[in-house]
Amino acid sequence: MEVIEMDENNGLSLVELNPPNPWESDPRSPEELAFGEVQITYLTHACMDLKLGDKRMVFDPWLIGPAFARGWWLLHEPPSDWLERLCKADLIYISHMHSDHLSYPTLKQLSQRRPDIPIYVGDTERPVFWNLDQSGVGLTNINVVPFGIWQQVDKSLRFMILMDGVHPEMDTCIIVEYKEEWKAQFIKAERRKLLNYKAQLVKDLQPRIYCPFAGYFVESHPSDKYIKETNTKNDPNRLNNLIKKNSDVVTWTPRPGAVLDLGRMLKDPTDSKGIVEPPEGTKIYKDSWDFGPYLEILNSAVRDEIFCHSSWIKEYFTWAGFKNYNLVVRMIETDEDFSPFPGGYDYLVDFLDLSFPKERPSREHPYEEIHSRVDVIRYVVKNGLLWDDLYIGFQTRLLRDPDIYHHLFWNHFQIKLPLTPPNWKSFLMHCD
């Protein structure tokens, strides 16, 4: 695989990635699994609870609250014992820093019960837990491990974290091996890629079992009704039916609390006890969300003192450190309906020289207009957060002229912002 990176002179260079082949690194002979020895319980979204002998692993626990500020909410009702499950885990793997995988509201509850639980992440360019100190979550046992190296849990269980092929600078995937060569491929694909592509991918990889996950969210806040209706999502059942037509791979569309017994499924995919569904009457889909506490956190930023001083704009973008790029951006603070917020800020940023002109410069330049809901943009600015809350959380509306995606600009604000937030205390002292 080849990726484009910036060199030391701000030029573009093509870098070939050569990830290790895990099956050539310390290979093992497979052993037969007993029934019930390996069980996979689906909790919600990308969160799986794996029982592997007498060990338990949990992946990507997002179980309460929203992701991406207020844009994504859980589609499924997690099992009622989700916190107990997390507390009993021997280790937790978190694939990357996006808030539908790294959920601070979830981890806050976990840390109050078990702050020393071992958590494993890959050694990504942007540290997964870069915002831990500011989050107020008291986790004390975070392990950053290199890519492509087996991590031994016990004599039968090991796992390896690999960089993701789509977003190698921030995303990861995991391979878990227990006794046999269980090649658990967690395939991450962009939302808009065709179902046929995914089906072909499964056909080429030939896993024994395929489970589509990490896409079970809903834009449930009333103000996001438009995006909910227009952001049509791929149906996992439709994908699995397509896979069945093209291959002999067994598919599983999970529901919260459903359990897959790997030993049974590998021996006989038709075994009725191979997949145990939740008890009849179990609530599968959420029909209410606790918006209040999370929206109040965002709304409190609107009233913050720093926004009484227009010089916050220069302070913030100077801190952000993106410049020497021919792009002019107009930032407009809006209300819920993306109309200009009364008394809100409407300003230009010229990233060629990091200036803040009153009018667009006369030179030829690409232009981007970003309308952002005031509560989210101010929360992001105040806390020095990445712009995923704005972009992936659907809290902006964009106008580009010409209609070109400026990768370097968005990549900087989504991945490369400084690790420590702006020093607003010092800023206010100078303002006073």
Side-chain angles (χ1 to χ4, degrees):
M1 174 187 174
E2 294 179 334
V3 297
I4 297 175
E5 293 185 353
M6 297 293 294
D7 61 25
E8 57 187 13
N9 297 317
N10 286 328
L12 296 179
S13 61
L14 201 59
V15 179
E16 184 174 2
L17 300 178
N18 294 300
N21 182 346
W23 315 114
E24 294 176 355
S25 175
D26 188 20
R28 292 178 172 180
S29 299
E31 301 177 47
E32 189 171 341
L33 297 179
F35 290 178
E37 189 173 3
V38 174
Q39 294 181 330
I40 307 168
T41 303
Y42 174 73
L43 300 185
T44 186
H45 193 60
C47 186
M48 298 282 195
D49 178 1
L50 277 65
K51 173 185 175 294
L52 303 139
D54 62 356
K55 299 295 184 183
R56 302 196 83 95
M57 298 177 66
V58 173
F59 297 165
D60 287 341
W62 170 34
L63 293 147
I64 56 170
F68 301 112
R70 43 175 282 188
W72 294 23
W73 301 80
L74 288 168
L75 175 68
H76 290 132
E77 187 71 48
S80 59
D81 64 345
W82 66 263
L83 184 54
E84 286 70 26
R85 288 176 178 271
L86 263 59
C87 289
K88 291 177 181 177
D90 293 283
L91 63 95
I92 291 175
Y93 159 72
I94 295 178
S95 61
H96 63 293
M97 62 188 170
H98 281 167
S99 50
D100 60 323
H101 299 260
L102 173 64
S103 168
Y104 280 118
T106 302
L107 295 178
K108 183 175 182 179
Q109 290 208 21
L110 174 61
S111 67
Q112 290 170 352
R113 293 268 295 270
R114 193 179 165 196
D116 62 342
I117 189 167
I119 295 181
Y120 285 81
V121 297
D123 189 11
T124 49
E125 176 184 339
R126 180 86 181 190
V128 174
F129 278 97
W130 68 275
N131 196 38
L132 181 63
D133 291 342
Q134 294 94 301
S135 72
V137 173
L139 294 171
T140 61
N141 192 0
I142 293 169
N143 303 273
V144 180
V145 301
F147 293 122
I149 304 295
W150 285 113
Q151 305 297 317
Q152 200 73 39
V153 179
D154 61 24
K155 65 177 183 178
S156 300
L157 173 62
R158 61 182 182 172
F159 66 91
M160 178 186 292
I161 297 178
L162 298 172
M163 66 171 59
D164 178 70
V166 179
H167 301 291
E169 72 282 353
M170 61 163 286
D171 206 350
T172 69
C173 58
I174 189 171
I175 294 175
V176 179
E177 183 179 272
Y178 178 80
K179 285 192 174 180
E180 66 159 6
E181 292 187 36
W182 172 29
K183 303 181 182 180
Q185 301 279 352
F186 291 89
I187 304 165
K188 299 178 183 293
E190 297 297 329
R191 177 192 60 186
R192 294 184 178 177
K193 289 185 179 176
L194 298 175
L195 290 175
N196 288 324
Y197 168 78
K198 295 182 182 180
Q200 184 60 47
L201 195 60
V202 173
K203 185 177 180 181
D204 292 342
L205 289 172
Q206 283 298 303
R208 297 287 294 276
I209 301 168
Y210 175 80
C211 171
F213 72 116
Y216 301 101
F217 71 93
V218 60
E219 304 87 346
S220 60
H221 192 272
S223 65
D224 288 326
K225 183 175 182 291
Y226 168 77
I227 197 71
K228 179 181 178 181
E229 293 173 350
T230 56
N231 184 27
T232 305
K233 301 170 183 64
N234 290 329
D235 186 303
N237 288 306
R238 184 182 172 195
L239 170 59
N240 280 343
N241 289 334
L242 190 59
I243 289 171
K244 291 175 185 176
K245 289 181 181 179
N246 295 332
S247 71
D248 296 325
V249 174
V250 176
T251 63
W252 177 34
T253 303
R255 300 195 297 168
V259 180
L260 182 145
D261 186 327
L262 189 63
R264 287 183 180 274
M265 294 298 288
L266 293 177
K267 187 169 185 179
D268 179 8
T270 65
D271 188 337
S272 61
K273 297 180 180 179
I275 296 176
V276 178
E277 296 292 351
E280 188 175 350
T282 299
K283 188 175 182 180
I284 302 300
Y285 296 102
K286 292 183 74 68
D287 53 20
S288 64
W289 296 263
D290 189 10
F291 299 127
Y294 304 102
L295 268 61
E296 177 52 34
I297 292 173
L298 298 175
N299 288 331
S300 66
V302 178
R303 305 182 293 271
D304 197 278
E305 184 183 357
I306 63 176
F307 300 108
C308 296
H309 309 275
S310 61
S311 55
W312 73 261
I313 298 170
K314 181 178 180 180
E315 182 78 12
Y316 174 74
F317 284 97
T318 301
W319 164 85
F322 183 74
K323 58 182 178 179
N324 300 322
Y325 186 82
N326 187 26
L327 174 67
V328 176
V329 171
R330 181 182 178 189
M331 302 287 296
I332 304 172
E333 294 184 330
T334 75
D335 61 14
E336 295 283 271
D337 300 319
F338 294 102
S339 298
F341 181 71
Y345 287 94
D346 180 342
Y347 57 93
L348 293 168
V349 184
D350 186 346
F351 287 102
L352 186 61
D353 57 2
L354 198 55
S355 60
F356 306 90
K358 298 296 183 182
E359 298 179 350
R360 288 176 58 176
S362 57
R363 71 172 193 278
E364 288 290 324
H365 62 271
Y367 173 74
E368 190 152 337
E369 207 167 272
I370 303 176
H371 299 243
S372 298
R373 286 173 171 156
V374 64
D375 57 343
V376 180
I377 183 62
R378 291 194 181 185
Y379 179 76
V380 167
V381 166
K382 175 186 173 183
N383 294 286
L385 300 178
L386 302 173
W387 281 23
D388 293 319
D389 287 341
L390 297 169
Y391 197 63
I392 305 177
F394 312 119
Q395 303 305 305
T396 64
R397 297 295 183 265
L398 304 175
L399 173 67
R400 297 184 174 110
D401 180 23
D403 190 11
I404 295 173
Y405 177 73
H406 294 277
H407 167 76
L408 292 179
F409 168 73
W410 284 103
N411 191 58
H412 184 92
F413 282 90
Q414 289 185 273
I415 293 175
K416 297 182 179 296
L417 289 177
L419 295 176
T420 55
N423 189 341
W424 295 119
K425 183 177 181 180
S426 173
F427 168 76
L428 290 174
M429 288 177 62
H430 284 91
C431 287
D432 293 341

